Amino acid sequence: MKRLDAVTRIHAWTYGLALTFAGFGIAFPFRADLIAAVREYSSPLGIAVLCVLGTVVSGVVHEAVHAAGFMLGARVPISKIAFGWRTTPALQLYMCVNVPVALGGFRLGMLAPAVLVGLVPVLVGASIASPLLVVVGASNLAGCGNDLAVVLSTLRLSAKSKIEMDLEGFSVVE
């Protein structure tokens, strides 16, 4: 059993920023009146409160969508999924699957939040001119940088590989 290539914070932040800019890049040209609608949400206190609440709520939703992705895409029973808080290296929520997962199901579970909690709100927000949905989706895409980096590190693996995860990272079971 070998460990997947380490995903550094630089990888996660770089991919997170790229996904965020992509989210905004998709939304704003798609709907020109979105920029005008941003003026409706110009209260600094209101924006700050929305950001804090949005971060907490979207973090929980993000991890729940990972779990749903693993349950549906990799047929992992809920009894094998753990949730919690980590305090090192930073305070963060986590979701961990306690069984080896087939590579396709692993990728689906890892990318589900980027699509469902990131891309979908960006597209819906752009289509109905809702800056709030666009910002929620784009900020969620920022949180998917680590997920994308992990999936990219699996591209050279055999399709028959299985992935084990723990709080330290990911291991490949051939």
Side-chain angles (χ1 to χ4, degrees):
M1 187 164 55
K2 68 175 187 165
R3 296 297 268 185
L4 275 180
D5 294 337
V7 174
T8 66
R9 287 185 185 184
I10 301 277
H11 288 110
W13 291 340
T14 302
Y15 291 128
L17 281 173
L19 288 170
T20 302
F21 287 129
F24 284 123
I26 289 167
F28 284 103
F30 184 62
R31 184 76 186 240
D33 60 343
L34 195 59
I35 294 170
V38 170
R39 293 187 185 108
E40 295 176 31
Y41 299 97
S42 60
S43 163
L45 180 60
I47 291 172
V49 169
L50 283 174
C51 286
V52 170
L53 283 174
T55 300
V56 172
V57 170
S58 68
V60 172
V61 170
H62 176 103
E63 297 305 325
V65 171
H66 271 309
F70 283 111
M71 289 169 55
L72 297 173
R75 307 249 192 264
V76 175
I78 193 146
S79 62
K80 299 295 183 183
I81 297 175
F83 295 91
W85 288 93
R86 286 180 64 166
T87 56
T88 55
L91 181 63
Q92 70 186 78
L93 285 168
Y94 72 84
M95 184 274 334
C96 190
V97 174
N98 297 318
V99 293
V101 178
L103 187 57
F106 175 78
R107 289 176 179 159
L108 187 136
M110 290 300 289
L111 293 177
V115 174
L116 298 176
V117 189
L119 190 57
V120 168
V122 164
L123 294 174
V124 170
S127 68
I128 66 171
S130 170
L132 182 60
L133 273 178
V134 170
V135 169
V136 165
S139 63
N140 276 296
L141 285 171
C144 295
N146 189 61
D147 302 337
L148 178 60
V150 169
V151 168
L152 291 174
S153 73
T154 68
L155 292 180
R156 295 185 182 177
L157 297 177
S158 159
K160 294 179 182 180
S161 298
K162 290 190 175 193
I163 306 294
E164 283 186 348
M165 62 177 80
D166 57 34
L167 293 179
E168 304 304 316
F170 305 91
S171 299
V172 181
V173 180
E174 294 290 338

